Amino acid sequence: MQQKIIILDFGSQTTQLIGRRIRELDTFCEILPYNKFPFGDPSVIGVILSGSPYSVYDKEAFKVDLSAIRGKYPILGICYGAQYMSHIYGGKVEPAGLREYGRANLNFIDKSNLLFQGFEDNSQVWMSHGDTITAIPDGFKVIASTQKVKYAAYQAQSNEPLWGVQFHPEVFHSIQGTLLLKNFVVNICGSKQDWSPANFIDQTISQIRNEVKEDHVILGLSGGVDSSVCAVLLNKAIGKNLTCIFVDHGMLRKNEFSDVLNDYKCLGINVIGVDASEKFFQDLTGISDPEQKRKIIGRDFVEVFNAEAKKITNAKWLAQGTIYPDRIESLNITGKVIKSHHNVGGLPKEMNLNLCEPLKWLFKDEVRRVGRQLGMPEHLITRHPFPGPGLAVRILGDITRDKVRILQDADDIYIKSLREYKVKLTGEEARNVLAAGVPSTMNNGEVEVSLYDQIWQAGAILLSTVRSVGVMGDERTYEHPVALRAVTSRDAMTADWAHLPYDFMAKVSNDIINKVKGVNRVCYDISSKPPATIEWE
């Protein structure tokens, strides 16, 4: 039986990060709304209470009765989770005056406590709260403090396995945060640490074969990481009973249609390529509104895909590359839909197919680890996210074949340049790259990695509604600007603009202007998310 840590979500922005840290400890975990504990599940070995945007005193604050959980499982409350437990058991939580946000150091640590075994003196942690615990319940004991926060961590009376920490061990800036989580998950909860890509692959293949049996499965490919790993996993499980459909709507990156088809054929996967670009361009004629573009492309894609799927008369399953964050973000902690994902929400009724989602429990970084375990080419595993509507939402204004050609050429130069440009990293940056499995080489303690692999997502945007004056060959030009976008992120929920080297940007700008007909100016987008989004439309 697969052991499980339950993370009860009280609405924190870092709840997914807690989950990822637990998975990095080779332990399975499940994120559930704060009031949806799976009573009766024998696989549960421990519980974590997440942070929250609320104060424990807010009328809207999420509250839950822990009496049926306390004493049965080890419990760790993080930030709001710690404050909530202190509050309901008789402690005191008050406004901190000034919001306690940023780095802090633990100037007192009870190193004999199971939660802090192996900690160093003055270990750095990350605080992010507006309230603070000013008194803990009777019989509870303080086990860590900072200069400003006396009750940075506590444990319940008589060494009961109930802990609270007001800092965030899951974030990068809590230097020994992973050690704290390991102490809880492994040493306290008793995780066997048997959650791994290899075990996941074996278990999933067995499950697919048991469910699908000899039925035929259809998978819609996008060329992205999720659908590619899904295809390889399904192919390993059912082989010839899998048919993949890859639709070209005409707004893919340069040569992407043929490149993706070749990649999949080299992997031995049965793929049908459908060039439906004429239909998409015709239906998008004169359409400038980004939401209309998305709706038209989505509608046309379903029509084309369904038409191809109906030709496979023996198909009984539709596979999708849905991953765990898609499902988490599609339901908020009250169980109501707050954001629809293209892979979440069921199937068109007329297809009359069962749904197969082999990756539905994986985070993005785990999908990549599984891909590597499956022996997939690195360029498929590390591919940046790319929007479903493709370059249609990276062209401001209406869509024409010539505009797509311009953007494809500019984007191709940009992406190839990011792959070719190497940077050398040392110290903490180098360790992070190695830990993440980013393709790199080591030499004399330095790690060399491409700019592409340091970035979460990059792409070019054609400002086709704008023209600018330029001079080329002593002649006046009046052509379009191109904006370049590159962001760093862990999960795309927030993102910062990538600080690309000046010499790299100068070369890319010159190459695009000199080689792409229709462009005479290159700009760089230095907006973070929020307030901007990663894509322009």
Side-chain angles (χ1 to χ4, degrees):
M1 180 170 54
Q2 180 75 64
Q3 294 177 319
K4 182 189 301 180
I5 297 288
I6 294 297
I7 302 169
L8 294 180
D9 181 17
F10 288 83
S12 171
Q13 289 185 336
T14 61
T15 300
Q16 282 196 42
L17 190 53
I18 298 172
R20 288 174 57 191
R21 293 289 174 261
I22 302 302
R23 297 282 183 89
E24 288 168 4
L25 295 169
D26 299 323
T27 302
F28 184 66
C29 66
E30 188 172 351
I31 297 172
L32 296 172
Y34 69 98
N35 56 355
K36 301 293 183 183
F37 187 83
F39 293 105
D41 185 342
S43 65
V44 178
I45 59 172
V47 182
I48 294 177
L49 312 181
S50 82
S52 175
Y54 293 114
S55 162
V56 295
Y57 297 110
D58 288 345
K59 291 182 179 180
E60 302 87 356
F62 301 123
K63 299 177 174 63
V64 63
D65 182 3
L66 298 176
S67 60
I69 300 174
R70 184 178 176 182
K72 295 184 179 179
Y73 309 94
I75 299 175
L76 173 63
I78 295 176
C79 197
Y80 176 89
Q83 294 172 0
Y84 180 71
M85 288 194 297
S86 177
H87 170 62
I88 63 174
Y89 295 131
K92 197 171 185 179
V93 178
E94 296 181 294
L98 293 175
R99 181 175 174 83
E100 293 168 339
Y101 181 84
R103 295 174 178 85
N105 293 91
L106 299 176
N107 59 5
F108 163 68
I109 306 172
D110 180 358
K111 296 183 183 180
S112 67
N113 193 276
L114 290 175
L115 197 64
F116 286 101
Q117 286 192 350
F119 262 61
E120 299 174 357
D121 292 337
N122 297 310
S123 186
Q124 178 181 293
V125 296
W126 185 264
M127 294 286 187
S128 179
H129 53 256
D131 290 347
T132 192
I133 299 170
T134 56
I136 54 177
D138 291 342
F140 282 40
K141 59 183 178 181
V142 59
I143 56 175
S145 306
T146 70
Q147 187 175 2
K148 294 182 179 179
V149 181
K150 179 179 179 181
Y151 304 109
Y154 64 75
Q155 184 180 1
Q157 54 193 347
S158 303
N159 292 323
E160 178 189 346
L162 184 151
W163 289 264
V165 296
Q166 290 203 83
F167 55 89
H168 287 268
E170 72 274 18
V171 304
F172 172 76
H173 296 294
S174 288
I175 301 300
Q176 292 185 284
T178 299
L179 175 59
L180 184 148
L181 292 173
K182 182 180 180 182
N183 285 339
F184 179 73
V185 170
V186 179
N187 299 341
I188 294 170
C189 297
S191 169
K192 297 176 183 176
Q193 295 186 282
D194 55 3
W195 172 259
S196 68
N199 286 344
F200 170 81
I201 290 169
D202 291 342
Q203 292 171 10
T204 304
I205 287 175
S206 176
Q207 184 178 358
I208 291 170
R209 287 172 178 168
N210 288 336
E211 286 185 353
V212 173
K213 296 183 171 60
E214 296 301 317
D215 295 343
H216 207 93
V217 179
I218 303 171
L219 171 65
L221 287 173
S222 68
V225 178
D226 302 334
S227 71
S228 297
V229 173
C230 185
V232 174
L233 189 58
L234 282 164
N235 189 56
K236 195 173 180 68
I238 59 175
K240 60 182 177 59
N241 286 340
L242 170 69
T243 299
C244 299
I245 299 174
F246 183 35
V247 177
D248 180 11
H249 49 41
M251 285 147 284
L252 300 172
R253 282 176 162 156
K254 189 173 182 177
N255 300 324
E256 186 170 19
F257 186 56
S258 58
D259 289 346
V260 168
L261 288 177
N262 288 333
D263 279 332
Y264 289 135
K265 286 176 182 176
C266 290
L267 290 168
I269 298 173
N270 180 27
V271 183
I272 297 172
V274 184
D275 181 357
S277 57
E278 190 61 41
K279 172 181 176 58
F280 283 86
F281 277 113
Q282 183 175 344
D283 291 349
L284 286 168
T285 301
I287 304 297
S288 297
D289 180 76
E291 190 60 25
Q292 279 189 277
K293 292 181 192 177
R294 289 180 179 274
K295 288 180 178 179
I296 290 170
I297 292 171
R299 180 201 68 201
D300 285 3
F301 179 86
V302 170
E303 289 179 4
V304 173
F305 184 86
N306 285 355
E308 289 298 322
K310 286 176 182 177
K311 297 176 184 177
I312 308 169
T313 55
N314 60 338
K316 294 184 179 180
W317 295 80
L318 175 69
Q320 294 185 159
T322 311
I323 63 174
Y324 199 30
D326 297 341
R327 300 165 61 217
I328 295 169
E329 291 174 3
S330 293
L331 291 175
N332 71 2
I333 57 179
T334 62
K336 297 178 181 178
V337 175
I338 55 174
K339 179 181 179 182
S340 295
H341 287 259
H342 63 283
N343 275 346
V344 178
L347 306 172
K349 291 182 180 179
E350 66 271 16
M351 292 193 73
N352 195 30
L353 298 175
N354 298 309
L355 185 60
C356 178
E357 298 174 306
L359 309 180
K360 65 182 180 181
W361 290 109
L362 299 186
F363 290 98
K364 178 72 79 172
D365 51 345
E366 291 179 306
V367 174
R368 291 191 167 104
R369 288 173 63 194
V370 167
R372 290 189 176 99
Q373 185 70 34
L374 288 166
M376 292 175 60
E378 198 64 36
H379 70 274
L380 285 178
I381 297 169
T382 58
R383 187 177 187 269
H384 287 179
F386 188 64
L391 299 180
V393 291
R394 291 183 180 176
I395 296 174
L396 273 60
D398 65 330
I399 308 298
T400 66
R401 285 190 179 273
D402 190 53
K403 290 178 182 179
V404 171
R405 187 271 310 165
I406 292 172
L407 185 53
Q408 283 178 332
D409 288 346
D411 184 79
D412 187 56
I413 291 170
Y414 182 35
I415 297 301
K416 284 181 177 176
S417 299
L418 285 169
R419 290 188 182 278
E420 292 167 0
Y421 193 97
K422 306 295 183 182
V423 293
K424 294 181 178 180
L425 306 174
T426 58
E428 202 168 272
E429 286 184 316
R431 287 194 295 273
N432 292 336
V433 163
L434 292 172
V438 174
S440 57
T441 56
M442 282 198 70
N443 186 24
N444 296 325
E446 290 184 328
V447 173
E448 188 176 75
V449 62
S450 75
L451 271 181
Y452 183 89
D453 290 322
Q454 274 198 302
I455 291 167
W456 173 269
Q457 187 170 341
I461 298 93
L462 180 64
L463 311 185
S464 69
T465 57
V466 177
R467 288 183 181 270
S468 66
V469 173
V471 177
M472 299 179 73
D474 295 327
E475 293 184 2
R476 177 184 184 274
T477 61
Y478 193 52
E479 294 178 334
H480 299 297
V482 161
L484 304 181
R485 182 77 159 136
V487 298
T488 57
S489 180
R490 286 185 178 270
D491 50 23
M493 296 178 72
T494 61
D496 193 13
W497 59 278
H499 295 229
L500 301 180
Y502 287 163
D503 61 329
F504 168 81
M505 296 176 73
K507 184 178 185 305
V508 169
S509 175
N510 286 337
D511 285 348
I512 290 174
I513 291 171
N514 290 334
K515 297 176 181 178
V516 181
K517 185 178 179 181
V519 176
N520 67 354
R521 192 178 297 268
V522 173
C523 312
Y524 187 58
D525 182 347
I526 58 170
S527 311
S528 62
K529 175 188 178 183
T533 55
I534 295 177
E535 299 293 346
W536 276 46
E537 290 194 337

